Amino acid sequence: MSLLTWTKEQFATNISQHDREHQTIFDMVNKLHESAGGTDRSAIGKQLDALIAYVAEHFGAEESNMIKSDYADYPQHKQEHDKLVQTCLDLQKAFHAGEAEINRETTTFVADWLVNHIPNIDRRYGPAMNGAGIA
Ligand code: FEO
């Protein structure tokens, strides 16, 4: 069974671009979860790098749309993004230096962060973005 399953009820933000990005992130986390703890470090490293790059790109897209729509909670939202990115970059560096492993605890941490962030933080930008013509 997958670690993360995107459903409209739980995760829809009413912004189709970001809903699609969230679904892609869920797929990538699920795939990394399958590989996590395995012996193929090279494959895990590639999946990890691709996931972190995609998440950073997604955060940038959300932040750009929050700015375009004069979204009042942008600074707090960006702070949450920056904190996760820093945690991921530290982990990525440690993994590639052979000082840390990616295991199922790691992927569960990321999944829990998403399950909290998307419904409670991302969902709130929908009305402001819709009001700015972003759908
Ligand atoms: Fe979809 Fe704020 O991350």
Side-chain angles (χ1 to χ4, degrees):
M1 193 177 147
S2 293
L3 183 61
L4 286 164
T5 303
W6 191 93
T7 61
K8 196 174 171 180
E9 294 68 31
Q10 195 178 359
F11 296 108
T13 62
N14 215 29
I15 305 297
S16 56
Q17 174 193 349
H18 299 323
D19 285 347
R20 283 194 304 275
E21 291 164 353
H22 289 148
Q23 289 169 58
T24 299
I25 291 169
F26 280 20
D27 285 344
M28 295 173 94
V29 173
N30 285 336
K31 283 181 184 134
L32 182 59
H33 186 68
E34 286 303 310
S35 315
T39 51
D40 192 347
R41 276 189 120 260
S42 160
I44 292 170
K46 279 184 191 143
Q47 284 180 296
L48 178 71
D49 294 349
L51 173 63
I52 293 173
Y54 191 82
V55 166
E57 195 182 311
H58 163 65
F59 286 170
E62 280 187 353
E63 287 161 18
S64 162
N65 280 336
M66 283 190 265
I67 291 168
K68 275 186 210 153
S69 55
D70 282 326
Y71 180 57
D73 288 344
Y74 165 72
Q76 295 92 321
H77 196 140
K78 181 170 171 34
Q79 230 172 39
E80 289 233 358
H81 286 171
D82 289 349
K83 216 170 128 188
L84 182 74
V85 167
Q86 194 53 57
T87 302
C88 289
L89 291 177
D90 290 345
L91 178 67
Q92 187 180 30
K93 197 174 159 193
F95 176 83
H96 287 296
E99 293 160 1
E101 294 306 323
I102 301 301
N103 52 36
R104 291 195 162 187
E105 210 172 291
T106 321
T107 46
T108 301
F109 163 79
V110 175
D112 287 347
W113 190 93
L114 292 163
V115 165
N116 176 60
H117 182 85
I118 299 171
N120 296 313
I121 308 291
D122 282 354
R123 257 193 174 170
R124 287 167 27 201
Y125 58 50
M129 288 187 195
N130 289 157
I134 304 163

